[in-house]
Amino acid sequence: MMIDRRQVLAGLGGIGGLALCGAPRPALARTAVQMGSGEVVALSDGNLVLPFDFAFGDLPEDELDLILARYGVSGDQLEPPCNLTLLRQEDRIVLFDAGSGPAFMPSAGKLMSSLEAEGLTPDDITHVVFTHAHPDHLWGILDDFDEPIFANAEMMIGQDEWDYWTDPATVDTIGEARASFAVGAARRLAAIEGRVGFFKGGDEILPGIMAHATPGHTPGHMSFEIRNGGDAVMVGGDAISNGHVALARPDWPSGADQDPDLGAETRMRLLDQLVADDIALLGFHLPDGGLGRVERAGDYYQFTAEGM
């Protein structure tokens, strides 16, 4: 069964009942990097299933085909992985984003199994920090009965992102295709109101964690630099949304971004920063666990996953 861009953007109403899982994916080796006495771990929430034109529908076909062939990408649908970030330290366990939960796509929402593999339960999480409020990053804060999952955690989100998704006008201005995103975000954010701390780009939100404003994918999208001395990992969210076209042609607008031109500007700036400052990247939709390094390769970039 084929699905189109409109169905994907419609969220649960367009895809919740579709059998999109396909064959089960093999389990990935544990991907982590030591940060002083702590550890940054990539956690799988499964994967999305998207129509090919979701991000690439308006791009130059000939050049796009060459890029995708270089990475062995073919077919009429994409299955991007969903990689959450876990920071384990002696006095806190920080989860960046909460995954899809049970209500978005049947191929996603696998976070509970990933936490269990780490010997953790949701009650062990001390902080949940959001890059943005799209379904695959936010909807996992509620269970099947619409009860909050991370009972002991402080929630943290950028002030601009919170303001955008809690504004009653957003559902009428975001466009019909994304209206269900606005409804779903507002309902879930209301469920955690009173437990949420806010920040802006440039703030140190927790010791050793700096927020970077990376707007475009959403108006208040944030990335987070986790640093210990000379070692750093950037939690990139969806600012760099795939491991092929976003790197080969970061200047191209992406249909997955709410503001495609601003998203491209942000992407180029972030890629330059990762290379110049030698910062590792943990990207939400990047391959092989999403943890690795970005390097320049002539006129474009490439991502090399690392089992660090």
Side-chain angles (χ1 to χ4, degrees), residues 40-126:
V40 175
V41 185
L43 297 182
S44 175
D45 193 47
N47 65 278
L48 303 183
V49 180
L50 305 171
F52 182 83
D53 68 351
F54 177 72
F56 305 146
D58 298 325
L59 299 180
E61 187 172 341
D62 290 345
E63 188 174 352
L64 176 63
D65 289 345
L66 290 174
I67 293 169
L68 295 178
R70 185 191 311 155
Y71 289 91
V73 178
S74 60
D76 52 19
Q77 70 180 26
L78 304 168
E79 299 185 8
C82 298
N83 310 304
L84 283 75
T85 302
L86 185 77
L87 174 62
R88 301 189 68 154
Q89 296 178 314
E90 292 181 2
D91 58 344
R92 60 186 176 176
I93 301 178
V94 183
L95 181 66
F96 293 85
D97 292 325
S100 294
F104 187 50
M105 284 191 180
S107 57
K110 314 302 182 186
L111 174 60
M112 295 302 108
S113 296
S114 295
L115 285 175
E116 183 179 359
E118 288 292 314
L120 298 172
T121 72
D123 289 346
D124 294 317
I125 305 301
T126 61

Side-chain angles (χ1 to χ4, degrees), residues 155-180:
M155 307 287 175
M156 307 181 75
I157 192 170
Q159 184 72 64
D160 290 344
E161 190 74 356
W162 174 274
D163 291 346
Y164 178 74
W165 294 104
T166 58
D167 183 349
T170 294
V171 69
D172 297 318
T173 57
I174 196 173
E176 182 182 355
R178 283 187 167 94
S180 65

Side-chain angles (χ1 to χ4, degrees), residues 31-36 38-43 83-89 92 94 96 129 131 203 205-212 214 222-237 240 270 273-275 277-284 286 289-294 303-308:
T31 304
V33 58
Q34 290 297 125
M35 296 289 289
E39 186 180 36
V40 175
V41 185
L43 297 182
N83 310 304
L84 283 75
T85 302
L86 185 77
L87 174 62
R88 301 189 68 154
Q89 296 178 314
R92 60 186 176 176
V94 183
F96 293 85
V129 180
T131 61
D203 289 350
I205 63 168
L206 290 167
I209 304 176
M210 178 74 72
H212 290 263
T214 48
M222 290 280 180
S223 300
F224 302 96
E225 181 180 343
I226 305 171
R227 180 169 289 278
N228 181 74
D231 297 325
V233 175
M234 186 74 75
V235 181
I240 301 169
L270 183 58
Q273 179 185 2
L274 294 172
V275 172
D277 295 344
D278 191 26
I279 299 174
L281 172 65
L282 209 165
F284 197 87
L286 297 185
L291 178 62
R293 298 278 176 177
V294 172
F303 174 77
T304 302
E306 299 180 9
M308 303 169 71

Side-chain angles (χ1 to χ4, degrees), residues 122-153:
D123 289 346
D124 294 317
I125 305 301
T126 61
H127 300 79
V128 180
V129 180
F130 297 101
T131 61
H132 63 296
H134 274 170
D136 50 333
H137 299 255
L138 173 69
W139 286 18
I141 61 172
L142 299 182
D143 64 16
D144 291 302
F145 303 99
D146 281 352
E147 293 294 329
I149 289 177
F150 302 99
N152 300 324

